[in-house]
Amino acid sequence: MVTVLSSRSGGGGSLFSGLIRNQALAEPVQPIALGWVGLPFWASMLVVLPVFVQAPWVREQPFSSCLFGFVLLSVGVITHSIAPNRWKDFGALLVGFSGSWLAGSLFWGWLASHPLLHLPVEAFALPLAITGLQTRWRLGCAFYLASLLGTAFTDLAMALTGVMALWPAVIAAASPAEASVLLQDAAAFVMRPSSLLTVSAAGMIIFQLVQYCRSRSSLSVATDRGWAVAAAVLFTTLLIDGLFLSLSLLAPELSGLV
C-alpha cells in the first residue's frame, strides 16, 4: 500500500440493490461477456488507465487533466445517447469513470499533501452515484462506487499501517533520492507483523466482495452487468494495490510516486 499514492480512483452488499426493477425477471437475459471485449474488461482498463496516464499528466498539467474529465463526461453522455446499442454501455462506463478522473485530478493536482482529504474529494459525486443506480446510468454509477470503495480500503490500510503519516513528506520531497529514502521507511512500516496482518485482512475483504459481486452477476436478471462491472473494478484495484505493495517492498527506490 506504500505507493498506492496514485490518482486512482475506488459499497457493500446492498450498494447496488437499486439496480433491480420489478419487470427485470420478465426481460430476456443478455449474457455477460467476460472476455477481452466485455464490460468487465473495459471496466478493468479504465481502472488501470489513471496509473499510467493520469498520474504523470496531473503532475505536470493538473488544470488540463481536470478539463479532460469533462471531456470524458461529454463523450460518455453522447455515446450513451446516440451510439449503437453495443456502445451505449461503454458510454455509461465513461460517465462513471469521468467522476473518478475528475476527483483524482483535483486531489493530486492541488491537495496531494493533505491525505485526509483524499477520500472526501474522491467521494464528491457519491450522492449522484447512489441516486443514479436506479437510472439508465447505473453501470457508470456501479463503476464509480466500486472505485470509491477500493480507494476507501486502500486509504484505511495506509492509515492503520502508519504509511499515511509519511505521505505529506514524500509529496514534499525535494529530490527523487529523498523521496526514495522516505519510501524505504514506508516499506519498513509495512513489513511489521501488525501491518502485514492489516494489509492481508484488507485484501481478503476486497476479495470476498469480488466473489460476492461475481455471484450476484450470475443471477438471471437483466441488471447483472452492474455487479460484473463492480467485481472487475474491485479485482483490478486489488491487483494494482498488490503490484505497488510488492514493488515498494522489493525496490522502493523504483516504485516512485505516481
Side-chain angles (χ1 to χ4, degrees):
M1 301 295 173
V2 177
T3 52
V4 184
L5 307 183
S6 66
S7 53
R8 300 184 290 104
S9 12
S14 63
L15 186 60
F16 306 104
S17 58
L19 294 175
I20 301 178
R21 303 178 185 177
N22 292 333
Q23 71 270 28
L25 295 176
E27 296 177 357
V29 178
Q30 298 296 328
I32 302 172
L34 296 178
W36 290 99
V37 295
L39 278 176
F41 168 76
W42 290 115
S44 295
M45 291 299 97
L46 291 178
V47 174
V48 174
L49 189 63
V51 178
F52 299 102
V53 178
Q54 186 183 30
W57 185 351
V58 77
R59 281 201 303 264
E60 300 297 329
Q61 296 289 336
F63 184 72
S64 63
S65 180
C66 282
L67 289 180
F68 187 67
F70 292 102
V71 173
L72 289 170
L73 175 61
S74 301
V75 172
V77 171
I78 294 172
T79 300
H80 185 73
S81 300
I82 67 174
N85 287 336
R86 62 178 180 175
W87 289 104
K88 287 185 181 295
D89 289 343
F90 183 70
L93 280 183
L94 280 182
V95 170
F97 176 61
S98 68
S100 298
W101 181 285
L102 182 59
S105 297
L106 289 172
F107 178 79
W108 293 104
W110 292 280
L111 300 170
S113 59
H114 304 283
L116 293 180
L117 296 179
H118 186 216
L119 191 59
V121 172
E122 292 282 352
F124 84 102
L126 181 59
L128 288 175
I130 294 176
T131 304
L133 286 174
Q134 302 183 49
T135 71
R136 59 177 178 156
W137 305 106
R138 56 185 175 268
L139 290 179
C141 295
F143 178 95
Y144 175 83
L145 291 170
S147 298
L148 183 62
L149 182 61
T151 299
F153 272 103
T154 299
D155 282 8
L156 179 61
M158 293 177 67
L160 293 178
T161 57
V163 171
M164 188 171 284
L166 297 176
W167 181 329
V170 175
I171 292 291
S175 66
E178 182 180 348
S180 176
V181 173
L182 292 170
L183 289 171
Q184 291 178 18
D185 292 340
F189 273 76
V190 179
M191 288 300 293
R192 296 180 303 184
S194 59
S195 297
L196 290 174
L197 181 61
T198 298
V199 171
S200 299
M204 287 301 299
I205 294 173
I206 295 177
F207 185 74
Q208 289 300 316
L209 288 173
V210 171
Q211 294 293 91
Y212 176 77
C213 290
R214 284 178 173 172
S215 68
R216 291 300 299 265
S217 73
S218 65
L219 298 178
S220 298
V221 293
T223 53
D224 288 346
R225 292 171 298 173
W227 291 100
V229 166
V233 170
L234 288 171
F235 185 68
T236 307
T237 299
L238 184 62
L239 290 180
I240 292 175
D241 283 359
L243 173 63
F244 278 111
L245 175 61
S246 300
L247 189 58
S248 65
L249 294 177
L250 297 175
E253 70 280 0
L254 299 179
S255 58
L257 181 65
V258 294

